[in-house]
Amino acid sequence: MAWYNEQGKMTDTVISTRVRLARNLVGYPFPSSLDSTSANELIEKLSSPLEESGFRKIHFSDISAIMATSYVERHYVSPSFATAEGPRALFLQEKPDLAVMVCEEDHLRIQSILPGFDPESGYQKAAAVEHRLDREFDFAFDEELGYLTHCPTNLGTGMRVSVMMFLPALSASSCIGSLSVQLAKLGLTLRGAFGEGSGSIGGLYQISNRLTLGYAEEELIQALSEAVIQIAERERRARKSIRGEALEKLTDRIKRSEGTLRYAHLLSGKELIRLLADLRLGISLGIVQGIRQEQLTSLLVEGMPATLTLSSENAPRNEASRDKLRAQKAQSILLGG
Amino acid sequence: MLCENCKKRTATVFYNEKLNGKSRSLSLCGECASKLREKGEIQDVTSMIESFADPFWATQDTLFNDFFGISSLPKKAEHSACSFCGSTLTDILQNGKVGCPECYSTFRDALTPLMRSLHGTSLHRGSVPQRQLAVRARNEQLGKLRKELQKALSEEDYESAASLRDEIRTLENGKEMNQNGLV
Ligand SMILES: [Zn+2]
Ligand SMILES: [Zn+2]
C-alpha cells in the first residue's frame, strides 16, 4: 500500500507531508558535471546498502516514458528526474514510503512521503536512511555551510519539508495572498498546487521551508508545524462560518459533485480534481457520508493520466477513452469504501 | 520551471515519448501543449500530465532566481578555477549552481557573503555526519593537550611536555589524513 492509500493525521486540511534531504558524496562532482561512467559507479556503490535496507532499484534510463511519468504523478520523483537523460536511479520502498533519487540535482535526494500531517516522523524516516548511508559514505560537509549541495539554496541541512494543505474556505475568502505574505516573514513559502503561480484548482496549497541554513532540523520542522496547525485552525473556522444561503448553495454543489463522481461516464483530469475538492470539503462538513478522505487521495493520484493508463490492461489510446477509464476508476474506488 | 516553448509561462505539462528508441522530453505550459498537439508535433497524449505542477519540485526554482538577483560580483577571483571540477566563479554565479563540493572551499571568500544574503546566515546549526563528530572531538582533544603542554613547559616539567608533544603529533597526523577526505 502506497502513501496515497493510507490513513493519515489531520486529513480534513492536510493531504500529505514530504521531507527531503539532499546529500552528496565526497570525491565526485555534482551530477550535472558527472560523466556516465562515474554516475553508474555511484549508483552501483549506493545499491548494496539501499537494497539491503529493502529498497528496490529502478534504473530510469531503462523504463518507458509513461512509467517515468507515473512516478512523478505518485510524487516519488521530480519531473526533471523523469525527463532527464543519462544514468539515474530511483530506490523505492513502500510502507513507509521512502524514495531515494540517485543523480538528480544532487547525488542523493532522500525523500519520505506520508499521508496527512506528520513532519516529525517524516523527518525521522528520511533521517534513518541518511544515517544508514552515513555509516558507509563520506558526505560532502563543511563546518560552516553544512551539507554541500549543487544549488546553494539547499545548503546547511539540505532539508525541505513540505505539507500539502487543503484550504478551500480560505481560498474562497481570498485570504491566500495575505497568508502567503505572513508565511514569507516566517521563512516559509506557500504555493498553489495543480495551478499556475499562486493559483490553485481544488484548493490545494503547499507550505514549505524556504531556509535550510542556520537552523537545526528540529527548529525548521517546528516553525513549519506551528504555521500549519494555525492555518488548519483558520481554515476550520472559515468552514464553520459558512451559514444560511451560502451553506445551502455549497451543500447543493457538493451533492451534485458527489453525483457526478458516482455516475459520470467521462471525467477529465481537471474535473476530477475539482470534484474531489468538493467531496473532501463535504466529508469535513458532514454533507458527504460513507466516503473516507484517503479514498479521495487514492483517486487524486490514481486518476492522473499516466498512472491511470498503466492501471488498465487495455491502455486507453486517446483522451476520451482515458476519461471513460477515469470515471470507472472513480466509481470502483468509491464503491470500495 | 518555465515552459520550454514560450519561455514565459510556468510549465505545467511534462511530455515525454520514446519513438524508435529515441526519447524526447519537453516541459510545457498548458497553452503551448495544446498548440503543439493541434499541430501534431507531440502525440502520445497518455504521457502528459495536464495541469500538473507539483510545487514541491518548483520551490527550488524561485529560490534559485533569488540567488540570481545577487549581482555584486567580486572581481578578483574570477579567473581562478576549482582544482577538482574546473568551475570558475563566473560559471557558478552565472548558473546559480555549484560544480562540486570542493568549489565551496575554493571560492569560500566570494561565496560566503552570498550565502549570508541568501539564507540570512552562513553558519550551519543542523545535524552533522558521524565522521565530522569525530573530527570535532579530536579538535577539542588537541586544544586540551596544547593547553596542558603550555602548562608543562611553564612548570619546566620537560618529561610530561615531551610525551604531550608526541600525543599531539599523533593526533595531528590522524587529522591530516582525515582532512584529505574532507571537503
Ligand atoms: Zn509555453
Ligand atoms: Zn569544483
Side-chain angles (χ1 to χ4, degrees):
Chain A
M1 292 284 263
W3 67 271
Y4 48 87
N5 298 319
E6 300 275 327
Q7 277 182 337
K9 295 177 193 163
M10 257 167 75
T11 47
D12 63 330
T13 46
V14 177
I15 309 286
S16 65
T17 303
R18 287 188 267 177
V19 178
R20 170 280 263 160
L21 299 172
R23 293 290 185 267
N24 290 280
L25 269 59
V26 166
Y28 293 90
F30 294 129
S32 66
S33 352
L34 200 62
D35 58 60
S36 310
T37 319
S38 313
N40 279 319
E41 186 185 301
L42 202 60
I43 295 170
E44 209 42 55
K45 257 186 164 176
L46 289 158
S47 291
S48 48
L50 286 169
E51 285 173 338
E52 276 165 27
S53 323
F55 284 85
R56 100 191 123 86
K57 176 163 64 179
I58 301 138
H59 278 290
F60 260 58
S61 35
D62 295 348
I63 62 173
S64 69
I66 190 159
M67 184 58 95
T69 307
S70 173
Y71 282 113
V72 179
E73 291 174 349
R74 288 177 282 158
H75 293 182
Y76 294 130
V77 305
S78 62
S80 55
F81 185 80
T83 56
E85 283 175 21
R88 62 206 188 283
L90 166 69
F91 290 85
L92 189 66
Q93 184 197 300
E94 278 161 9
K95 204 171 176 125
D97 277 86
L98 287 161
V100 181
M101 283 186 276
V102 176
C103 291
E104 205 241 16
E105 187 181 289
D106 291 300
H107 296 148
L108 283 158
R109 286 287 176 96
I110 304 163
Q111 197 205 171
S112 68
I113 320 168
L114 289 102
F117 179 64
D118 204 351
E120 281 93 4
S121 56
Y123 172 64
Q124 280 162 14
K125 285 174 171 110
V129 180
E130 196 261 6
H131 293 332
R132 170 75 183 86
L133 295 173
D134 183 38
R135 296 208 314 253
E136 260 166 80
F137 303 100
D138 274 355
F139 289 141
F141 183 85
D142 180 273
E143 198 56 35
E144 277 177 31
L145 298 173
Y147 290 97
L148 301 175
T149 51
H150 182 44
C151 188
T153 55
N154 295 315
L155 283 172
T157 57
M159 182 181 76
R160 189 85 57 211
V161 183
S162 134
V163 175
M164 181 85 82
M165 293 196 80
F166 176 57
L167 307 172
L170 289 179
S171 162
S173 59
S174 51
C175 315
I176 297 294
S178 68
L179 189 61
S180 166
V181 175
Q182 289 169 30
L183 288 172
K185 287 182 193 145
L186 300 170
L188 302 172
T189 309
L190 178 133
R191 292 180 127 242
F194 295 106
E196 308 211 348
S198 60
S200 158
I201 321 174
L204 296 174
Y205 294 88
Q206 177 190 268
I207 293 162
S208 55
N209 61 308
R210 187 173 62 81
L211 301 172
T212 54
L213 180 64
Y215 297 91
E217 288 82 355
E218 292 74 16
E219 295 173 309
L220 293 170
I221 289 169
Q222 199 186 343
L224 183 105
S225 297
E226 282 168 9
V228 168
I229 289 167
Q230 276 185 30
I231 296 166
E233 217 26 72
R234 277 173 70 175
E235 167 65 24
R236 288 183 198 120
R237 276 203 301 275
R239 288 180 196 176
K240 270 188 204 139
S241 72
I242 309 170
R243 291 197 193 92
E245 202 185 328
L247 184 60
E248 290 295 303
K249 279 190 177 153
L250 179 64
T251 307
D252 181 61
R253 192 183 88 201
I254 289 171
K255 294 213 172 222
R256 282 169 188 274
S257 294
E258 187 184 350
T260 307
L261 204 56
R262 287 195 187 279
Y263 295 105
H265 186 64
L266 301 175
L267 274 180
S268 77
K270 264 188 192 160
E271 190 180 11
L272 177 73
I273 293 168
R274 249 193 308 269
L275 297 175
L276 289 175
D278 278 349
L279 263 73
R280 199 178 286 278
L281 181 59
I283 294 173
S284 84
L285 292 174
I287 297 167
V288 173
Q289 264 132 26
I291 298 175
R292 284 170 290 115
Q293 305 278 15
E294 63 267 23
Q295 286 173 285
L296 303 181
T297 306
S298 295
L299 192 47
L300 184 66
V301 174
E302 290 181 21
M304 286 284 151
T307 308
L308 184 70
T309 303
L310 288 170
S311 74
S312 161
E313 279 178 22
N314 312 308
R317 301 208 149 260
N318 55 42
E319 225 157 316
S321 58
R322 200 167 68 237
D323 287 354
K324 188 172 158 187
L325 182 63
R326 186 177 287 111
Q328 289 164 355
K329 176 69 77 185
Q331 282 132 36
S332 80
I333 288 183
L334 292 189
L335 276 179
Chain B
M1 191 185 289
L2 284 180
C3 167
E4 285 176 65
N5 195 49
C6 64
K7 303 200 167 55
K8 279 184 204 133
R9 288 176 290 264
T10 313
T12 54
V13 173
F14 304 97
Y15 170 79
N16 46 29
E17 63 174 18
K18 233 175 208 167
L19 277 180
N20 310 323
K22 275 184 87 181
S23 63
R24 182 166 76 119
S25 24
L26 284 169
S27 310
L28 301 166
C29 68
E31 276 175 52
C32 290
S34 34
K35 259 187 234 156
L36 290 179
R37 258 171 72 197
E38 274 167 32
K39 283 198 225 156
E41 285 178 28
I42 56 176
Q43 286 121 19
D44 183 13
V45 287
T46 49
S47 61
M48 299 219 298
I49 309 173
E50 287 159 272
S51 305
F52 185 84
D54 182 354
F56 189 59
W57 314 113
T59 315
Q60 208 151 282
D61 294 337
T62 25
L63 295 171
F64 166 62
N65 290 339
D66 294 347
F67 185 60
F68 253 141
I70 306 161
S71 55
S72 52
L73 271 178
K75 287 270 175 257
K76 65 174 195 309
E78 261 181 74
H79 296 290
S80 62
C82 168
S83 61
F84 187 78
C85 74
S87 295
T88 64
L89 188 58
T90 315
D91 293 336
I92 295 172
L93 294 168
Q94 269 172 2
N95 303 324
K97 309 244 170 167
V98 176
C100 78
E102 201 67 44
C103 291
Y104 283 105
S105 329
T106 313
F107 305 113
R108 185 179 296 274
D109 292 346
L111 289 177
T112 303
L114 295 181
M115 297 312 117
R116 215 170 286 140
S117 42
L118 182 68
H119 289 274
T121 172
S122 59
L123 201 61
H124 176 59
R125 282 183 45 208
S127 65
V128 301
Q130 282 302 316
R131 175 178 52 94
Q132 194 68 15
L133 290 177
V135 171
R136 282 184 186 175
R138 189 171 38 234
N139 286 345
E140 250 168 56
Q141 179 67 7
L142 270 173
K144 212 182 100 200
L145 290 174
R146 285 197 188 108
K147 248 185 219 161
E148 280 175 30
L149 176 63
Q150 284 303 322
K151 199 171 158 247
L153 287 173
S154 68
E155 288 167 3
E156 298 187 6
D157 177 359
Y158 298 113
E159 205 176 313
S160 306
S163 77
L164 280 166
R165 249 191 219 111
D166 286 346
E167 229 179 301
I168 291 172
R169 202 163 298 142
T170 320
L171 261 180
E172 276 176 343
N173 288 342
K175 181 181 152 202
E176 248 166 49
M177 264 167 57
N178 249 284
Q179 271 189 342
N180 287 337
L182 276 181
V183 240

